[in-house]
């Protein structure tokens, strides 16, 4: 399981012209899932994501977490995070989990983030053609892969 986390001043998700999610200060979390992902990956990645100290404290030092600032989050599924570009110029998405595996894990990840954060998070829609708009703050963008815990 892999996430790209972006610290944002604001972010939104629009599907077919309708804004389905919108936040101010917080994190936009792009989530990619592979077949081998488990509930352990979800728990570890959720905890890491909401406790990652990427928000500035009163001294301008990145020393506060999403949980500390009581920030908001949007979780968006993104199978392209597991693209392989080793051969040719067309990415292969063979590592990305198919919907029958990915959807339950995506939903479990959202639930775990909500439990760990103590509040509802906003989401995109799995498999939809989404327009994601954001104002990256910093910019701060971090990639975390649950398969690289050590």
């Amino acid at each position: 399981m892999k996430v790209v986390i972006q610290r944002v001043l604001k972010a939104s998700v629009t599907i077919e012209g309708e804004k389905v999610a919108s936040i101010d200060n917080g994190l936009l979390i792009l989530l990619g899932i592979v077949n081998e992902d488990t509930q352990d990956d979800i728990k570890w990645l959720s905890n890491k994501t909401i406790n990652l100290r990427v928000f500035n404290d009163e001294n301008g030092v990145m020393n506060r977490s999403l949980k500390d600032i009581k920030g908001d989050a949007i979780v968006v599924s993104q199978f392209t995070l597991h693209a392989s570009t080793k051969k040719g110029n067309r990415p292969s998405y063979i590592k990305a989990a198919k919907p029958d595996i990915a959807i339950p894990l995506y939903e479990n990840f959202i639930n775990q983030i909500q439990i760990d954060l103590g509040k509802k998070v906003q989401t995109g829609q799995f498999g939809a053609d989404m327009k994601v708009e954001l104002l990256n703050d910093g910019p701060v963008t971090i990639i975390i892969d649950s398969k690289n815990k050590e």
Side-chain angles (χ1 to χ4, degrees):
M1 192 167 281
K2 187 182 293 186
V3 291
V4 173
I5 300 168
Q6 296 181 300
R7 185 179 77 181
V8 298
L9 292 176
K10 64 181 177 177
S12 64
V13 177
T14 302
I15 301 172
E16 295 180 5
E18 180 184 344
K19 191 175 284 189
V20 298
S22 179
I23 64 168
D24 289 320
N25 194 32
L27 294 177
L28 172 64
I29 304 165
L30 305 174
L31 175 68
I33 299 168
V34 294
N35 290 330
E36 298 78 26
D37 289 330
T38 67
Q39 192 63 34
D40 287 340
D41 293 297
I42 290 169
K43 287 181 181 177
W44 182 85
L45 201 51
S46 173
N47 182 61
K48 180 65 86 172
T49 298
I50 67 151
N51 289 300
L52 199 64
R53 297 186 306 175
V54 294
F55 293 92
N56 293 344
D57 63 15
E58 59 280 350
N59 297 315
V61 176
M62 286 195 290
N63 203 26
R64 302 186 77 206
S65 69
L66 183 65
K67 196 168 187 175
D68 293 334
I69 68 158
K70 297 176 178 40
D72 294 320
I74 295 179
V75 178
V76 175
S77 63
Q78 189 169 355
F79 73 93
T80 60
L81 292 181
H82 290 288
S84 173
T85 58
K86 287 183 180 181
K87 294 182 182 178
N89 293 317
R90 180 178 299 177
S92 168
Y93 305 107
I94 198 156
K95 289 184 178 180
K98 301 287 186 249
D100 60 321
I101 292 172
I103 291 172
L105 291 171
Y106 168 72
E107 291 171 350
N108 288 346
F109 181 80
I110 293 165
N111 289 335
Q112 189 65 54
I113 287 276
Q114 291 178 147
I115 290 166
D116 291 345
L117 193 54
K119 68 192 291 188
K120 184 166 175 41
V121 300
Q122 301 207 28
T123 67
Q125 180 182 335
F126 189 93
D129 180 15
M130 295 174 273
K131 307 305 179 212
V132 179
E133 196 170 0
L134 68 130
L135 180 57
N136 195 317
D137 182 19
V140 174
T141 303
I142 297 178
I143 301 167
I144 306 173
D145 190 330
S146 66
K147 303 304 187 244
N148 296 328
K149 294 176 193 167
E150 281 94 55

